Amino acid sequence: MANTSSAKKATRKIARRTAMNKNRRSRVRTYVRKVEEALAAGDKTAAEAAFLAAQPELMRAATKGVMHKNTASRKVSRLAQRLKTLSA
């Protein structure tokens, strides 16, 4: 258990940040899942709409430090590629 007041404050901050990061990660996964479900169904318009919603969410997660910038870029790139093959 934390002894000093600064250590207690640090544990509170860590808990708060962990909750925020968990929420952001969950939102990213939800948006990505919506794109993947639309791709699996073959619904081009829904997939495009879901992709346009998911892209800023992924980049926001990268900006906030929830995931690495390259990871977010890779996910966006792969989703865009799958969307392109669906429309072709």
Side-chain angles (χ1 to χ4, degrees), residues 9-66:
K9 180 180 178 180
T11 55
R12 289 195 306 268
K13 283 172 63 176
I14 289 165
R16 197 162 49 238
R17 197 172 354 159
T18 302
M20 286 164 54
N21 286 344
K22 188 176 179 183
N23 188 12
R24 285 190 182 116
R25 196 175 302 115
S26 177
R27 280 176 59 92
V28 166
R29 288 178 181 153
T30 302
Y31 277 90
V32 170
R33 193 186 71 241
K34 285 180 183 176
V35 176
E36 289 174 346
E37 286 173 354
L39 287 169
D43 191 355
K44 182 186 170 197
T45 54
E48 285 177 345
F51 177 70
L52 287 175
Q55 196 170 358
E57 201 63 42
L58 279 159
M59 288 305 153
R60 191 173 298 116
T63 305
K64 299 295 182 183
V66 176

Side-chain angles (χ1 to χ4, degrees), residues 68-88:
H68 196 273
K69 183 174 164 251
N70 292 356
T71 304
S73 294
R74 183 181 67 242
K75 286 182 183 292
V76 168
S77 176
R78 288 181 181 172
L79 286 174
Q81 192 175 15
R82 286 173 61 190
L83 187 64
K84 190 173 149 187
T85 58
L86 179 72
S87 58

